[in-house]
Amino acid sequence: FIMKRLFILLSLASTMTTVAQNVVPTVSVVGEASINVEPTIVNISLSVEREGTDVKLLRQKNGESIAKVIQAINEQEIPLENFKTDYVSLQKQYDYNTKTYKYRISQDIKIKLTDLSKYETLMDKLFEAGVNQIDGISFDITEVERAKITQDARIAALDNARKKALLYAITLEQNIGKALTIKEVGVQDEEPVMFRMKEAAALGSPSKQTLAPGNISIEASIMVTFELLK
């Protein structure tokens, strides 16, 4: 019994020694990269609204304004697939002061402008056509551009990971070998630059302001485990 127990202990010790000898020293780091790009698209969300007591007249006037808005968009040679109108929204409201009902009619238009040089002229024309509310203006890039920049960010993140691991290794008078594992922690971009304006007619045309779309930042984070060499 004693000999059998001693044999088992020796076998375990031998196995543990073999496992310890086969353990590969590693160094794990997270490589990060951020690429800033200028927007190439401006998304415009606006609407034409009116209030009154005559529903039929409201629909007529709003329809006329929407027709002028579409004409203004077409004059800027914006492709048909880059703008659309939503259904007409009609709300009935009771005025307790006059004891009468009044109505609010609204129709939204969304535009994707791929030529930012047309922005100021387009906004002026839209206001002249009857737009009296801008719900949001955001700047973005195309899907093709996003895909390419994302790839560039990933490559830069991997290079950053390699440099980090090498720095740690050299500081310890060692070196790094091949990558053993690669895991993407995240690839993301900042929220598109957004402007929101209510009651735009009262504020005046936004085209009179300086157009400053800013930059969009696309980031990548990748965890890499390298072999650590003596």
Side-chain angles (χ1 to χ4, degrees), residues 3 7 30 35 49 79 86 90 102 113 115 159 168-169 176 185 188-189 227:
M3 292 296 293
F7 175 75
V30 175
I35 299 178
E49 292 189 358
D86 289 337
L90 181 64
K102 64 178 180 180
L113 186 62
D115 184 353
D159 184 58
Y168 297 155
I176 60 171
V185 180
Q188 59 183 2
D189 59 277
E227 185 180 8

Side-chain angles (χ1 to χ4, degrees), residues 83 125 179 188 196 226-227:
F83 69 90
K125 297 295 183 182
Q188 59 183 2
R196 290 196 176 278
F226 293 93
E227 185 180 8

